[in-house]
Amino acid sequence: QVQLVESGGGLVQAGGSLRLSCAASGRTFSNYVMGWFRQAPGKEREFVAAISWNGGNSFFADSVKGRFTISRDNAKNTVYLQMNSLKPEDTAVYFCAAGDSPYIKTMERQYNYWGPGTQVTVSS
C-alpha cells in the first residue's frame, strides 16, 4: 500500500506560479511511476504530467507543456509539480497518483493509489 497526500494548493493570480508537493509513504517510493491529474467542476479528470521511477523520463499534457514541470526526490519520498504562467483554465482540484510500475503512464486506470487532492484556483 502507498499513501499519498498533496499540499501547496491555493489562490493565485493569472500569470503567477505555484508549486504542488505530494508526499508518499508505505512502500518504496522509487519503484513507482508518479503522476498528476486534475479535475475542474463539471469536467472529467484529466492527465497533467507523469515522471518515471528514476526521474529520467517525464511526459506532459499538451495543455501544460512549456508551463509546468514535474520532478521527484526519492530520498524525501516526494514528487513536485511546478506550475508557471498559470491561467484561469488551470483551476481545478489536483490529484497525485502512484502506479505499480516504474514507467510512464497517462491513464487514470493505470494508477493504483491516489491522494485526496488539493485545490488550485487561478483568478484573472
Side-chain angles (χ1 to χ4, degrees):
Q1 282 287 339
V2 174
Q3 293 79 47
L4 306 173
V5 59
E6 305 92 341
S7 63
L11 176 64
V12 64
Q13 291 185 321
S17 298
L18 206 61
R19 190 191 197 195
L20 304 183
S21 298
C22 173
S25 63
R27 297 179 69 177
T28 304
F29 179 74
S30 61
N31 289 340
Y32 293 84
V33 60
M34 300 297 298
W36 287 95
F37 291 76
R38 67 186 183 185
Q39 186 169 210
K43 298 182 179 179
E44 296 182 344
R45 188 175 299 182
E46 65 175 343
F47 170 80
V48 176
I51 188 167
S52 60
W53 71 277
N54 62 173
N57 299 100
S58 60
F59 188 77
F60 301 89
D62 288 341
S63 60
V64 305
K65 285 182 179 178
R67 300 189 297 121
F68 291 11
T69 58
I70 186 170
S71 62
R72 66 191 296 164
D73 186 337
N74 289 346
K76 296 181 178 180
N77 288 350
T78 303
V79 63
Y80 306 94
L81 183 69
Q82 179 66 47
M83 305 183 293
N84 300 321
S85 301
L86 283 163
K87 306 174 181 179
E89 304 93 275
D90 295 318
T91 296
V93 175
Y94 283 70
F95 298 90
C96 176
D100 287 325
S101 169
Y103 309 112
I104 295 292
K105 296 180 178 181
T106 61
M107 294 183 282
E108 290 182 57
R109 58 186 175 85
Q110 295 178 307
Y111 287 83
N112 308 98
Y113 311 101
W114 295 82
T118 185
Q119 177 71 47
V120 172
T121 302
V122 184
S123 62
S124 61

